[in-house]
Amino acid sequence: MNDEVFEAYREAGRIAHRILNAGAGMVRPGASLLETVETVEGMVLEADAGLAFPLNCSLNEAAAHDTASEGDERIFAAGDLVKLDLGVHLDGYVADTAVTIDLGDHCELVAASRAGLDAAIALVRPGVAAGELGAAIQAAIEGRGYHPVRNLTGHGLERYVQHARPSIPNVGHPGGAVLAEGQVVAIEPFASTGSGVVSEAARAEIYGQVATRPVRLPAARQALELVRERQGMPFSRRWLDMPKREIALATLVRQGVFRTYPVLHDVPGSFVAQAEHTLVVVEDGCVVTTA
Ligand code: MN
Ligand code: MN
């Protein structure tokens, strides 16, 4: 990795860290979810950076992939456990970082996800196996009496690609990828009071373009035009300001041009906490870009 690319990752990380902290401060009982999401996303654009994906704002048993819908009337309430997951990019170099805000009595659960992240970061260096990081995450979370979420993982980052190889599991696995100097990875342990397995909800507000092919429906063509600048990075339904949006989205999903990212949740009544940092693997360890 050359110095210019390294500095882009560092600067994206600094911006993400600052804005995620500001966003966390807005999450209070009585605050609007939609206003919070739009304010945070607006701060990224004001910083002359791009959003690598819509701000994820997932509540309680929802682990990931929720965000505000247009006209979303949800209000944060006492007792909620709120995950904010922010992706900032500079010229495609991504900082991916998440924090959990506890509006109830889940501070030990939140601490467990953070301990998993700290334990994994402490092990990162060239030559470490992704499975060793997963084992450290699993031990930290299970040692505190919770379940790591087994079917969500950290991931590599490449230019404009938010989910690249290698995947960094949240449980121990023998073998698997070995990290190398210059790789950029996001590590994101989830700790749950539920089953430790997430499944897809019906709700989907986040989309991504996964194929390019000619489409005939004018509304679908317009939607494709609007998201072209995303270069495959996810976008939200709320961002798509056009008539006939719903028919366009449905058509493009049916034709395999767009995919949805449904909300991922653990069992009803459970609580899931997440912590995430992006880091660059360097000769003697790693540099966390988002701290
Ligand atoms: Mn993330
Ligand atoms: Mn991530």
Side-chain angles (χ1 to χ4, degrees), residues 133-237:
L133 306 181
I137 291 168
Q138 179 172 15
I141 292 174
E142 289 182 348
R144 286 163 176 80
Y146 302 106
H147 300 292
V149 174
R150 317 180 71 86
N151 59 338
L152 289 174
T153 68
H155 49 88
L157 290 162
E158 289 172 8
R159 196 174 185 194
Y160 290 109
V161 181
Q162 191 241 332
H163 281 150
R165 289 189 207 190
S167 96
I168 313 283
N170 288 322
V171 292
H173 279 304
V178 171
L179 299 192
E181 188 176 347
Q183 267 184 324
V184 185
V185 296
I187 300 178
E188 48 182 313
F190 293 81
S192 178
T193 65
S195 68
V197 176
V198 291
S199 53
E200 293 184 350
R203 176 178 171 84
E205 289 293 326
I206 299 177
Y207 292 76
Q209 184 173 354
V210 289
T212 307
R213 65 175 65 112
V215 289
R216 287 166 59 191
L217 183 75
R221 297 165 80 114
Q222 187 186 357
L224 270 175
E225 193 59 34
L226 284 173
V227 307
R228 192 169 55 173
E229 62 168 22
R230 298 295 302 154
Q231 303 199 47
M233 293 183 295
F235 58 93
S236 80
R237 182 195 299 264

Side-chain angles (χ1 to χ4, degrees), residues 11-12 14-20 39-51 86 88-91:
E11 183 60 15
R14 283 190 282 265
I15 292 168
H17 175 70
R18 170 175 65 80
I19 294 175
L20 188 64
T39 301
V40 170
E41 290 181 350
M43 288 175 73
V44 172
L45 304 182
E46 277 165 32
D48 288 324
L51 286 155
L86 177 64
V88 169
H89 78 91
L90 290 172
D91 290 329

Side-chain angles (χ1 to χ4, degrees), residues 53 85 96 188 276:
F53 48 85
D85 190 338
D96 182 3
E188 48 182 313
E276 180 175 24

